[in-house]
Amino acid sequence: MDTNPHRISAAESEVMKVLWADSPKAAEDVVAILAKDQGWAEGTVKTLLNRLLNKGAIAADKDGRRFLYRPLIGRDDYVDTESQGLLDRLFDGRLAPLVSHFSKREKLAPEDVAELRRLLEKLDDQ
Amino acid sequence: MDTNPHRISAAESEVMKVLWADSPKAAEDVVAILAKDQGWAEGTVKTLLNRLLNKGAIAADKDGRRFLYRPLIGRDDYVDTESQGLLDRLFDGRLAPLVSHFSKREKLAPEDVAELRRLLEKLDDQ
DNA sequence: ACATTTCGTTTACGCGCGTAATCGTTGGCT
DNA sequence: AGCCAACGATTACGCGCGTAAACGAAATGT
């Protein structure tokens, strides 16, 4: 079904999130953050780092005796793939129907509407 | 990680899609559609129908010798959960940043922009 | 009645994921 | 030189999913 070669899993994306926030980082630091945020044990995070390495999603640069990890794929690209995937699956690949859905479900906060309006105006200007 | 009790998987959602499009339907019809659309074997679809039954996502009403299947959860609810999940994971739970992301990536077709504009106008009117 | 078809149910199986524990290696300390 | 600590790598294991095959019961044709 999902024939995509090397997808980033949910747990893995938490690791990516940490590295996107600030990198490069030693494993120790990633572990510390995810222990706090997700309650994960050291081994868990090490495994995830390795799987991401094998998938080519991050790189590890030797820094003395340890490695420093950094993302190889951009957060924007990731966000893009995920978002487009959802749109494709649920909204015929287009954005407007999603917004329409949220609107119908009354899930549009006034500040969201305001921000959308600003966005559209900016698009007009160019 | 995903502690949600009874999540609808990707393959299962294809079955739901068929039933949402038109129900109730006999297994045979669901099988026929998914054989064509997804290339799935009969057994595969049967399994998915059963898993959905166990999850309480669909119901089966006896119709003579066979069963007719119909969704128990609404498509809108499903779409809602999925969309909100994505927004929560990637966009701090809000819609505007997603639209902004698409805009930045130049993935907004002119007709999307037009449709968004119409939507916002309609929101104004009430 | 019996064989055959038709459905639904049960069982199977490999894979990735979440979650670790354990192993191996290498640099530092005594 | 030998031992310990730190770190990455390897192995483990149960679970759900994708994908079916096999099984069983009920209806139908002959």
Side-chain angles (χ1 to χ4, degrees):
Chain A
M1 157 130 285
D2 205 333
T3 179
N4 202 319
H6 280 319
R7 191 90 199 297
I8 292 179
S9 79
E12 286 161 5
S13 84
E14 292 299 325
V15 175
M16 294 304 288
K17 216 178 273 186
V18 169
L19 293 178
W20 278 322
D22 175 46
S23 71
K25 268 188 162 51
E28 190 189 356
D29 302 325
V30 181
V31 166
I33 292 176
L34 290 174
K36 187 156 85 61
D37 287 7
Q38 311 278 337
W40 287 342
E42 191 188 358
T44 303
V45 178
K46 298 276 185 74
T47 298
L48 294 173
L49 283 171
N50 257 294
R51 286 181 181 165
L52 286 169
L53 271 175
N54 292 333
K55 290 182 182 182
I58 63 176
D61 312 302
K62 194 151 235 157
D63 170 57
R65 44 212 256 60
R66 52 168 129 244
F67 283 93
L68 293 184
Y69 298 87
R70 70 190 148 86
L72 282 183
I73 70 171
R75 182 180 152 81
D76 273 1
D77 287 337
Y78 172 72
V79 165
D80 220 65
T81 306
E82 294 293 303
S83 311
Q84 191 64 57
L86 182 95
L87 290 188
D88 288 346
R89 271 187 299 127
L90 301 181
F91 297 102
D92 197 28
R94 291 179 39 247
L95 185 59
L98 185 155
V99 177
S100 166
H101 171 86
F102 269 70
S103 157
K104 261 185 282 193
R105 302 282 279 186
E106 297 183 354
K107 288 196 127 190
L108 274 183
E111 96 219 43
D112 274 326
V113 178
E115 193 164 341
L116 288 178
R117 217 182 302 275
R118 274 199 301 280
L119 269 170
L120 287 183
E121 273 165 27
K122 222 198 268 180
L123 284 179
D124 263 352
D125 298 350
Q126 5 167 129
Chain B
M1 159 129 282
D2 206 333
T3 180
N4 204 319
H6 279 319
R7 189 81 203 286
I8 292 179
S9 79
E12 286 159 6
S13 84
E14 292 299 323
V15 175
M16 294 304 288
K17 216 178 274 186
V18 170
L19 293 178
W20 278 322
D22 175 46
S23 71
K25 267 188 163 50
E28 190 188 356
D29 303 326
V30 181
V31 166
I33 293 175
L34 290 174
K36 187 158 84 62
D37 287 9
Q38 311 279 334
W40 286 342
E42 190 187 359
T44 302
V45 178
K46 300 276 186 73
T47 298
L48 293 173
L49 283 170
N50 257 294
R51 287 181 182 164
L52 286 168
L53 272 174
N54 291 334
K55 289 182 183 183
I58 64 178
D61 313 303
K62 192 152 235 155
D63 170 58
R65 46 213 250 61
R66 52 170 131 249
F67 282 93
L68 293 184
Y69 298 89
R70 69 187 149 87
L72 284 182
I73 71 172
R75 180 178 153 83
D76 274 2
D77 286 338
Y78 172 73
V79 165
D80 220 64
T81 305
E82 294 292 303
S83 311
Q84 191 63 57
L86 182 96
L87 290 188
D88 288 347
R89 272 186 299 126
L90 300 182
F91 296 102
D92 199 27
R94 291 180 37 248
L95 185 60
L98 185 156
V99 178
S100 166
H101 170 85
F102 269 70
S103 156
K104 259 185 284 192
R105 303 280 280 188
E106 297 184 355
K107 289 195 129 193
L108 275 183
E111 87 222 46
D112 275 326
V113 177
E115 193 164 341
L116 287 177
R117 216 183 303 276
R118 274 198 301 279
L119 268 171
L120 288 183
E121 271 166 26
K122 220 197 265 177
L123 284 179
D124 263 354
D125 297 348
Q126 17 177 110

